[in-house]
Amino acid sequence: MLPLRVLRGTSVAAAMLAVLSACAPETQDQIARNAAKSAVNRVVLERYPGLPIEPAINCVIDNATAQQIYALAADSVTGPTAATGEIVAGILQQPATVRCLADSALVQLAG
């Protein structure tokens, strides 16, 4: 038998996907990205306290695949899990994400 938290999270995630399926594709993408940002925010704050929060969140979201975005969006409803951290860590290690973070740091230094 699954723990109650998992059952609740599953039903909430299923409801979220049902709502998303009724939206236009652009709206679906924006809703999912905003929800995913919430999960990424919690992971970055907890695991990467030295990273500037907004640039880190934007770089992770901008370099995530659609599948990763939807997984992170679902985790924003149920709360971050070990899998959430693994997804964020994997995205942060991608060369494009590292470049994004470096570019953001240079903009902040120049700003």
Side-chain angles (χ1 to χ4, degrees), residues 26-94:
E26 299 82 24
T27 305
Q28 288 176 6
D29 182 60
Q30 193 56 47
I31 291 170
R33 289 172 68 86
N34 287 339
K37 283 183 178 186
S38 173
V40 172
N41 182 29
R42 290 186 250 175
V43 171
V44 170
L45 284 173
E46 182 181 308
R47 295 187 179 196
Y48 306 99
L51 287 178
I53 192 74
E54 284 300 317
I57 292 169
N58 292 333
C59 289
V60 167
I61 296 298
D62 290 345
N63 289 287
T65 65
Q67 182 180 6
Q68 289 170 322
I69 294 285
Y70 284 112
L72 291 168
D75 290 346
S76 75
V77 175
T78 60
T81 64
T84 313
E86 291 173 17
I87 292 170
V88 172
I91 297 167
L92 283 171
Q93 294 174 9
Q94 294 174 7

